[in-house]
């Protein structure tokens, strides 16, 4: 299992680096691999960068469901020239500008990873070369994170600039406070930063649900929706719904904080 010897970046720092990469010209612009634990927001980070640079979502390629031949396309017989040609997949752009987001690259089978070597380094699949104004970004979980993940190997690791994204309490609050996360959720993370990301605890105790930056967002969304429908009177319903996102222990913390906020006014 390869060790991550990359200095961690906050989501804000990673976004700035990605924005700079997107403005670089070829051949200097590298493909970028965003590493981080499940739920840290790797995919959403890439999507925000795509919206900022290109005013549109990225072309998202789910590497977890791909096989090696999917990258190259399908063979077709050219009867006029008596040769086989390859019909390229539609996710490979022929023109324009934007981002190709190779999501969950570490979940791809080894033959798929091998088929992508030229794509990440030379920006090409056989004779199809990506337009110069497209940037390539990939995301990956670690084999130690409990996700379905394969080691990328030295050949693929050496073909990309790699970022390792880690949320701290302050980076989480800076990002989510202006984006409408429920005050009770923000208060819990502020008071108990140890609850922000407990994916390792989930693995150690074999739990089905645990806290990650992504699951705190989910907890906030379901809390606001249930409060709008049922109010604070349905306390057991609220706690059951929240626990489905962040587990029972943190759900209790949110409920206690919610009551405190109600009493304050």
């Amino acid at each position: 299992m390869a060790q991550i010897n990359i200095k961690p970046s906050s989501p804000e720092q990673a976004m700035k680096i990605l924005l700079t990469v997107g403005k670089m010209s070829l051949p200097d612009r590298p493909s970028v691999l965003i590493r981080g634990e499940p739920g840290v927001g790797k995919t959403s980070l890439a999507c925000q960068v795509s919206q900022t640079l290109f005013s549109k979502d990225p072309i998202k390629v789910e590497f977890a469901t791909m096989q090696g031949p999917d990258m190259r396309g399908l063979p077709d017989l050219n009867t006029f020239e008596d040769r086989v040609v390859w019909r390229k997949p539609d996710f490979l752009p022929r023109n324009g500008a934007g981002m190709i987001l190779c999501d969950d690259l570490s979940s791809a089978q080894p033959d798929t990873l091998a088929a992508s070597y030229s794509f990440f380094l030379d920006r090409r699949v056989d004779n199809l070369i990506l337009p110069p104004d497209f940037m390539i970004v990939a995301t990956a979980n670690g084999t130690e994170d409990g996700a379905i993940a394969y080691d990328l190997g030295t050949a693929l690791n050496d073909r990309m600039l790699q970022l390792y994204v880690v949320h701290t309490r302050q980076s989480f609050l800076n990002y989510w406070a202006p984006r409408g996360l429920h005050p009770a959720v923000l208060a819990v993370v502020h008071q108990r930063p140890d609850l922000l990301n407990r994916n390792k605890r989930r693995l150690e105790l074999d739990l089905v649900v645990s806290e990650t930056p992504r699951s705190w967002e989910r907890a906030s969304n379901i809390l606001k929706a249930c409060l709008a429908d049922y109010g604070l009177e349905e306390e057991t319903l609220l706690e059951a719904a929240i626990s489905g996102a962040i587990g029972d222990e943190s759900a209790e913390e949110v409920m206690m904080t919610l009551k405190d906020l109600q009493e304050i006014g």
Side-chain angles (χ1 to χ4, degrees):
M1 179 177 64
Q3 299 297 314
I4 296 178
N5 59 333
I6 308 166
K7 293 288 187 181
S9 304
S10 68
E12 293 89 346
Q13 291 171 328
M15 179 174 291
K16 289 179 179 179
I17 295 171
L18 284 167
L19 289 172
T20 296
V21 170
K23 297 171 186 175
M24 294 170 65
S25 300
L26 294 178
D28 296 334
R29 186 196 321 133
S31 300
V32 181
L33 175 63
I34 308 173
R35 291 185 177 271
E37 292 186 10
V40 79
K42 302 181 291 293
T43 301
S44 61
L45 176 63
C47 290
Q48 291 172 56
V49 171
S50 181
Q51 283 288 347
T52 301
L53 289 175
F54 308 109
S55 300
K56 61 182 180 180
D57 288 333
I59 298 173
K60 193 174 179 182
V61 184
E62 296 286 356
F63 264 69
T65 60
M66 286 183 64
Q67 298 179 345
D70 295 338
M71 194 73 184
R72 191 177 187 190
L74 294 174
D76 189 17
L77 179 62
N78 184 331
T79 55
F80 294 102
E81 298 184 14
D82 193 25
R83 64 187 181 94
V84 172
V85 296
W86 288 88
R87 302 292 185 183
K88 296 297 183 289
D90 61 359
F91 63 77
L92 293 175
R94 274 62 170 178
N95 50 58
M99 175 191 291
I100 298 180
L101 175 57
C102 305
D103 216 14
D104 291 324
L105 179 65
S106 53
S107 299
Q109 296 291 329
D111 65 326
T112 306
L113 296 177
S116 67
Y117 285 176
S118 293
F119 175 73
F120 288 110
L121 182 63
D122 301 321
R123 301 172 50 84
R124 67 184 302 153
V125 177
D126 292 334
N127 60 347
L128 175 63
I129 301 174
L130 289 186
D133 292 328
F134 265 87
M135 68 181 298
I136 301 173
V137 178
T139 66
N141 297 309
T143 55
E144 71 281 0
D145 293 330
I148 298 173
Y150 298 92
D151 192 291
L152 299 184
T154 56
L156 193 52
N157 275 319
D158 193 48
R159 281 166 161 77
M160 290 177 279
L161 173 71
Q162 302 198 31
L163 304 177
Y164 180 47
V165 177
V166 176
H167 258 298
T168 63
R169 174 181 65 178
Q170 198 55 51
S171 69
F172 180 84
L173 296 175
N174 288 345
Y175 180 81
W176 281 113
R179 287 173 171 79
L181 215 65
H182 193 280
V185 170
L186 289 170
V188 170
V189 174
H190 179 74
Q191 296 163 1
R192 293 284 308 276
D194 58 301
L195 298 180
L196 175 58
N197 193 341
R198 298 206 292 179
N199 187 56
K200 288 183 171 59
R201 174 177 174 270
R202 167 165 47 184
L203 297 176
E204 292 169 357
L205 301 181
D206 196 23
L207 304 174
V208 295
V209 175
S210 187
E211 305 89 335
T212 67
R214 180 169 57 199
S215 68
W216 280 110
E217 178 191 5
R218 190 177 302 122
S220 173
N221 291 340
I222 191 63
L223 173 60
K224 289 190 289 186
C226 286
L227 282 172
D229 281 349
Y230 310 110
L232 192 57
E233 294 75 19
E234 293 278 2
E235 183 178 332
T236 56
L237 180 150
L238 288 173
E239 191 167 344
I242 300 167
S243 69
I246 53 176
D248 50 4
E249 182 180 334
S250 288
E252 292 174 5
E253 291 281 344
V254 171
M255 291 304 300
M256 288 189 293
T257 303
L258 183 62
K259 292 176 189 176
D260 291 342
L261 292 175
Q262 289 289 110
E263 292 176 2
I264 293 173

